[in-house]
Amino acid sequence: MTAPFELTDDSVVVVIGTGAGGGVLANELAQRGVSVVALEAGGRYLPEDYVNDEWDSFGQLAWTDTRTTSGDWRVAKDFSGLPAWIVKAVGGTTTHWAGASIRFQPHEWKALTNYGAVDGATLLDWPIDAEEMAPWYDLAEAKLGVTRTGDRPGLPGNNNFKVFEAGARKLGYEEVHTGRMAIQSTDDGDRIKCQQTGFCFQGCKWGAKWSAAYTDIPDGEATGNLEVREKAHVARILHDDSGKVTGVEYFDEDGNLNFQAARIVAVAGNSFESPRLLLNSASSMFPDGLGNSSGHVGRHYMRHLTGSVYGIFDKPVRMWRGTTMAGIVADESKHDPSRGFVGGYELETLSLGLPFMAAFLDPGAWGREFTSALDQYENMAGMWIVGEDMPQADNRVTLSDAEDQWGLKVANVHYSDHPNDIAMRDHAYRQGAAIYDAMGATRTMPTPPYPSTHNLGTNRMSERPEDGVVNRWGQTHDIANLFVSDGSQFTTGAAENPTLTIVALAIRQADHIASEMSAGNL
Amino acid sequence: MALDTLTDMRRMTRRQLLTGATALGAFVIGNGYVTAAKADWATEMVAMKPEDFATLIQMARDIYPHDRVADEFYVRAVKSYDVQDKAEMAEAGIRALNQRSREMKGEDYLDIGWERDRVDVLRSMEDDDFFQTVRGGLVTGLYNQKEVWPIFGYEGSSYEHGGYIDRGFDDITWIG
Ligand SMILES: Cc1cc2nc3c(=O)[nH]c(=O)nc-3n(C[C@H](O)[C@H](O)[C@H](O)COP(=O)(O)OP(=O)(O)OC[C@H]3O[C@@H](n4cnc5c(N)ncnc54)[C@H](O)[C@@H]3O)c2cc1C
Ligand code: SF4
């Protein structure tokens, strides 16, 4: 069933990473008859392997290879070796993700035009817009089975949502519902209906939530056009004298370095590993790394504003029961500079189990102020803030002096908040607390951002080659047969969770690559 | 592991255990073990001095005080320091803690009666490596013990029970 390809076969498209971007691209190419070798650093885990235990699951799925951090974000102090909480496994971070799947708003595709220049920020318009993306969003929503799109009903609200919804309505918010989720809500779909298990972040054991690991990857393999090589860590992308890429070097499970030839290479290792790989592939012809003649590779790292608000009540909530991200308030996602910042944010319910709550509620805190909050765990409700953070040239991924187990330079992730980010987060903290106060909270807690889950922007898309790394197709401006296919393409972050957009871009890119290949242009 | 040690010691009678033991703070120090007055646990020392280990237990509780969480969970959370290659570091840390306690409060850490006075001492050391090591270790050492979860109401793994779809995912009653 799965296609084996020769290392010397230079007719294949090599996809690096099998997450939201790479996993979907690999399948969509395979569906169009293109031969694909997907190289994935992590192993393969399926619903029967997932565990309903936060730290055990973290040990099973999370990317824990060395990374370093700098900048004034609190993550660099509290979790200096763990800038992101993302996955190293077939299916990438779609095993961890909560499933919130919302489209960018039309104005967000043109942030520079609509917000105006912001001091210290490197805002830019995307070279594409809402109209062009609409049909790709339709396909992405159908693929992921997103609730409240098409004829798919919403999920029922859990306890955490009911507190959130009632408080939001008391404040006058109107766009409040159980979200657009890539989680099966009915009995008649391809996937089992959500059983309200409450471990969405640990991999859905029912397969109710969409993950590339058990949908796109096996679908692609079933065509006979896709070979997924797991535990294959790509070290370098190579090129010939004409400046076209020729294939990739990767370490296999046994530590052997192999060369896989390729007609096209698509990089989809998430926003730290993708720029790292381009930088680590520097050569005499491309001394600053591949695709980096503009100097933008690694820059403009965005992670969404984030932050959480937890509220404590005098009665039980039991927020951990049911879907982790169980609903949304979208009223604040508009662009309304009268609030003191550009762009907007979403509020979405969130719950952590006791072990993660202890680690993330207020990292480093101790004593009774902290423990008296945990004592009320059963009476807590929680929400997460997802807002548009400002791209900044110096928030960036560079090569660190540290090396990983393969002797490759690792990514250093530098991030500092922009004043717009701080103003927006403060606003969101106040509104979040007000929602819980309206429900009689006895205490609310503005919780700092966790290690990043949304990682964007480090190979950004731009109309002009001097402004970014890739063009409107995710093709590098410098090298025609080198593509970027993950969240690192994002020109700006918008207020929405990014994965639906990553998937829509991947489907569109697959369509483009396949037609350019058959037209003989690639 | 810690749990086995605790179980083993339960097989000794309280009388055997308490012969020749002395009280120290909330704990009872015997020849090579630590227990507490009415406790049904006792822990045998592998590498640390019992009085130092008792101090470490108290320190753990003062860092993350949960009055409904029994001592034995704190014992398990710090028992990992009672091994050859960590005991030296831990005992040096406890020596420094006692010295600071005497400077600030005129007595050893375990002799200080009020939590707030012990916390004063800890605050003065909170940037030290030893404090940070113990605190950081407790985050998983204490809160990742499945046996403490029910004390906080947390229900843990739910898949094997069929999730919460029929077990109260939306059973909240106090929303108007
Ligand atoms: C807890 C959590 C909750 C989330 N919830 C949501 C949500 O509700 N909605 C939403 O839109 N988004 C959510 N996200 C974010 C979402 O998961 C990511 O945006 C998305 O998966 C990113 O896709 P990607 O293709 O850029 O990278 P990934 O999905 O991370 O895939 C990258 C893959 O590349 C592999 N790789 C990296 N380097 C190499 C290399 N050198 N060689 C080979 N393979 C390599 C990695 O192992 C990984 O498997 C969540 C994330 C987390 C962690
Ligand atoms: S709550 Fe639903 S989507 Fe989340 S893990 Fe459980 S069954 Fe899967």
Side-chain angles (χ1 to χ4, degrees):
Chain A
M1 179 171 88
T2 53
F5 293 104
E6 298 287 331
L7 289 171
T8 51
D9 187 342
D10 60 6
S11 72
V12 302
V13 175
V14 165
V15 177
I16 303 165
T18 57
V24 169
L25 176 71
N27 176 32
E28 292 286 329
L29 286 172
Q31 300 294 337
R32 288 168 176 77
V34 177
S35 300
V36 181
V37 173
L39 300 171
E40 168 55 55
R44 198 183 285 241
Y45 305 92
L46 293 170
E48 58 267 31
D49 305 317
Y50 302 145
V51 280
N52 276 191
D53 180 297
E54 290 178 310
W55 284 116
D56 286 352
S57 173
F58 184 86
Q60 180 184 56
L61 298 172
W63 181 288
T64 52
D65 291 11
T66 310
R67 282 173 178 145
T68 60
T69 46
S70 55
D72 69 12
W73 57 331
R74 204 172 140 179
V75 168
K77 173 173 167 282
D78 297 324
F79 304 100
S80 60
L82 192 76
W85 170 17
I86 48 181
V87 172
K88 178 179 177 177
V90 172
T93 312
T94 66
T95 48
H96 260 10
W97 81 314
S101 303
I102 36 184
R103 299 184 183 204
F104 276 28
Q105 303 165 79
H107 69 267
E108 291 172 324
W109 293 102
K110 305 291 172 191
L112 179 58
T113 300
N114 291 314
Y115 305 164
V118 172
D119 264 358
T122 48
L123 286 172
L124 191 69
D125 289 348
W126 288 67
I128 50 183
D129 60 20
E131 199 187 334
E132 180 170 355
M133 287 305 293
W136 305 106
Y137 270 138
D138 289 343
L139 291 172
E141 284 167 350
K143 175 193 284 290
L144 272 51
V146 179
T147 60
R148 286 175 211 282
T149 71
D151 55 5
R152 289 168 286 267
L155 287 159
N158 65 359
N159 292 335
N160 201 20
F161 174 72
K162 288 184 172 179
V163 178
F164 175 82
E165 179 192 32
R169 298 240 181 256
K170 286 194 181 180
L171 255 59
Y173 284 134
E174 288 169 357
E175 291 173 65
V176 188
H177 55 75
T178 58
R180 298 196 171 82
M181 304 298 298
I183 297 179
Q184 187 68 34
S185 60
T186 58
D187 277 322
D188 54 7
D190 296 342
R191 306 193 303 257
I192 289 184
K193 179 171 109 173
C194 174
Q195 302 297 302
Q196 304 287 342
T197 312
F199 284 86
C200 308
F201 286 173
Q202 282 66 42
C204 177
K205 284 196 72 69
W206 306 95
K209 178 188 83 176
W210 176 82
S211 164
Y214 44 82
T215 58
D216 279 70
I217 299 288
D219 287 353
E221 287 170 333
T223 65
N225 298 324
L226 169 63
E227 179 189 354
V228 177
R229 279 180 220 152
E230 58 203 64
K231 299 191 177 163
H233 186 106
V234 178
R236 220 151 59 103
I237 302 166
L238 301 184
H239 63 82
D240 61 18
D241 293 343
S242 74
K244 287 185 67 177
V245 300
T246 52
V248 306
E249 278 181 347
Y250 70 94
F251 288 100
D252 63 24
E253 196 177 354
D254 304 321
N256 301 315
L257 193 63
N258 303 280
F259 175 75
Q260 172 64 54
R263 176 168 169 185
I264 294 169
V265 172
V267 186
N270 205 314
S271 290
F272 299 161
E273 297 309 311
S274 290
R276 173 193 177 205
L277 187 55
L278 296 178
L279 295 172
N280 265 333
S281 301
S283 63
S284 53
M285 188 170 181
F286 299 110
D288 298 324
L290 299 189
N292 198 22
S293 65
S294 64
H296 286 286
V297 169
R299 290 190 183 272
H300 320 288
Y301 168 56
M302 296 170 288
R303 57 177 310 249
H304 274 145
L305 187 72
T306 81
S308 310
V309 179
Y310 291 95
I312 292 174
F313 299 85
D314 58 350
K315 299 180 199 69
V317 178
R318 302 191 181 97
M319 65 175 170
W320 63 86
R321 294 184 180 178
T323 36
T324 304
M325 204 160 264
I328 187 168
V329 170
D331 298 64
E332 299 285 2
S333 66
K334 58 189 182 283
H335 168 58
D336 170 12
S338 73
R339 293 173 298 180
F341 51 86
V342 301
Y345 63 87
E346 317 270 358
L347 298 173
E348 299 168 349
T349 79
L350 185 83
S351 142
L352 298 178
L354 184 78
F356 273 14
M357 189 59 82
F360 296 123
L361 177 62
D362 189 4
W366 59 278
R368 285 207 183 256
E369 184 185 3
F370 178 76
T371 55
S372 62
L374 280 189
D375 281 335
Q376 302 306 321
Y377 177 72
E378 210 172 351
N379 293 11
M380 259 187 215
M383 71 174 84
W384 197 53
I385 303 159
V386 197
E388 177 163 11
D389 59 341
M390 287 295 106
Q392 300 178 70
D394 290 334
N395 282 350
R396 62 189 291 202
V397 171
T398 52
L399 294 179
S400 162
D401 289 335
E403 291 182 351
D404 68 4
Q405 64 271 38
W406 312 112
L408 303 167
K409 295 241 180 274
V410 306
N412 181 73
V413 184
H414 182 96
Y415 189 91
S416 296
D417 280 328
H418 185 277
N420 196 76
D421 306 342
I422 295 168
M424 188 192 290
R425 188 181 295 116
D426 285 347
H427 190 273
Y429 278 153
R430 278 197 301 279
Q431 294 309 109
I435 286 176
Y436 289 146
D437 286 340
M439 295 306 291
T442 54
R443 186 170 167 188
T444 60
M445 294 166 290
T447 294
Y450 312 128
S452 312
T453 55
H454 298 177
N455 299 286
L456 306 167
T458 50
N459 293 306
R460 76 175 181 183
M461 188 183 282
S462 64
E463 190 68 56
R464 303 186 318 157
E466 56 270 37
D467 292 333
V469 179
V470 299
N471 68 14
R472 61 195 345 273
W473 303 108
Q475 181 180 34
T476 58
H477 288 298
D478 293 353
I479 302 175
N481 65 341
L482 178 61
F483 285 76
V484 174
S485 317
D486 59 13
S488 68
Q489 299 173 79
F490 278 38
T491 311
T492 54
E496 290 73 25
N497 315 53
T499 305
L500 183 74
T501 303
I502 296 174
V503 169
L505 288 171
I507 302 172
R508 175 173 167 276
Q509 186 181 66
D511 199 64
H512 175 74
I513 291 177
S515 58
E516 288 295 288
M517 283 174 82
S518 54
N521 297 332
L522 267 175
Chain B
M1 188 31 227
L3 187 61
D4 304 334
T5 316
L6 294 178
T7 322
D8 278 358
M9 294 299 283
R10 281 186 189 137
R11 278 194 257 111
M12 296 175 70
T13 66
R14 294 296 294 172
R15 184 190 297 272
Q16 282 172 320
L17 209 52
L18 295 177
T19 307
T22 54
L24 183 60
F27 302 100
V28 174
I29 307 296
N31 189 10
Y33 63 87
V34 178
T35 181
K38 291 239 185 287
D40 61 1
W41 60 269
T43 181
E44 198 172 4
M45 291 296 96
V46 177
M48 282 181 74
K49 289 200 279 296
E51 53 273 30
D52 287 347
F53 189 73
T55 308
L56 187 58
I57 303 169
Q58 185 64 53
M59 178 184 175
R61 182 179 282 288
D62 292 337
I63 293 174
Y64 290 124
H66 292 285
D67 299 338
R68 292 185 301 148
V69 174
D71 284 332
E72 63 180 284
F73 299 109
Y74 290 94
V75 172
R76 285 186 190 137
V78 294
K79 187 66 181 168
S80 59
Y81 295 100
D82 179 31
V83 290
Q84 284 313 333
D85 57 340
K86 290 204 184 142
E88 198 177 319
M89 181 280 291
E91 295 196 324
I94 296 297
R95 263 198 308 281
L97 178 68
N98 277 327
Q99 190 180 337
R100 183 65 59 86
S101 297
R102 288 193 296 273
E103 285 162 20
M104 291 177 66
K105 306 287 172 184
E107 51 195 347
D108 280 347
Y109 190 77
L110 267 181
D111 293 327
I112 302 176
W114 282 98
E115 179 182 313
R116 64 160 184 267
D117 291 325
R118 292 192 302 271
V119 166
D120 283 348
V121 176
L122 292 177
R123 283 274 168 227
S124 80
M125 305 179 76
E126 70 177 332
D127 294 328
D128 296 2
D129 286 348
F130 176 64
F131 179 90
Q132 283 304 332
T133 303
V134 173
R135 189 204 59 73
L138 282 170
V139 173
T140 47
L142 180 63
Y143 298 109
N144 206 31
Q145 292 181 48
K146 289 190 174 55
E147 299 77 12
V148 310
W149 294 350
I151 304 170
F152 295 88
Y154 182 51
E155 296 168 291
S157 179
S158 83
Y159 171 74
E160 63 274 34
H161 308 295
Y164 292 102
I165 193 162
D166 299 318
R167 294 191 314 130
F169 78 99
D170 61 350
D171 65 356
I172 198 161
T173 51
W174 55 268
I175 307 291

